[in-house]
Amino acid sequence: MTQGARILILADAGAKVGGGHIMRCLTLAEALTRAGAECAFVAGPAAWAVLDAFAQAPVEVFPLDEEASASELAAAGVRVARTWSASGLVADHYGFGPGDDATLSAACERLLIIDDLRRRHAHGLVLDSNIGR
């Protein structure tokens, strides 16, 4: 699925959570890009700063004018996923809950949720990168 795939990434960043969500998604995006996928982020200003500082190559960003709640980010991600014709979504945000999972999975059949808090998710494939999980 990687060659020619269009992967849209939604990740949290900010003063309270730092830039770790963006960094791990950026690492994933760079690996997917090397494998032939096209990746883009939907991002607010805090995420832009992390992307600008650490992206090894130019990254396409669909900017949000201001910081958004998790649900607002999910809604923006759905709009972008449909207009950009995303073939997969990656969601890395502690604020996403079951309702957001359902919203995102309705926009795109392939959903990867990165979550290391041991929460249940109703949709998508969950990746917990902690040791032993």
Side-chain angles (χ1 to χ4, degrees):
M1 177 198 141
T2 309
Q3 187 66 35
R6 301 186 96 195
I7 310 298
L8 185 63
I9 301 168
L10 312 172
D12 196 11
K16 292 182 181 178
V17 298
H21 298 276
I22 295 292
M23 291 302 295
R24 63 186 174 192
C25 287
L26 188 54
T27 300
L28 176 61
E30 289 171 354
L32 288 168
T33 300
R34 283 192 304 274
E38 184 179 350
C39 297
F41 286 77
V42 175
W48 302 339
V50 178
L51 290 167
D52 187 48
F54 293 101
Q56 296 296 311
V59 174
E60 184 169 4
V61 177
F62 293 96
L64 300 175
D65 293 332
E66 55 190 39
E67 295 305 328
S69 70
S71 293
E72 291 167 338
L73 180 60
V78 166
R79 287 189 301 275
V80 173
R82 290 183 175 145
T83 59
W84 191 63
S85 302
S87 52
L89 282 169
V90 175
D92 189 352
H93 196 300
Y94 288 149
F96 287 154
D100 299 306
D101 296 350
T103 297
L104 294 171
S105 69
C108 193
E109 70 180 60
R110 292 182 179 95
L111 173 61
L112 173 65
I113 299 167
I114 301 174
D115 191 345
D116 55 7
L117 295 180
R118 292 187 181 222
R119 299 180 302 162
R120 293 202 182 275
H121 292 274
H123 301 275
L125 174 67
V126 179
L127 171 64
D128 181 343
S129 59
N130 284 320
I131 294 174
R133 294 199 217 155

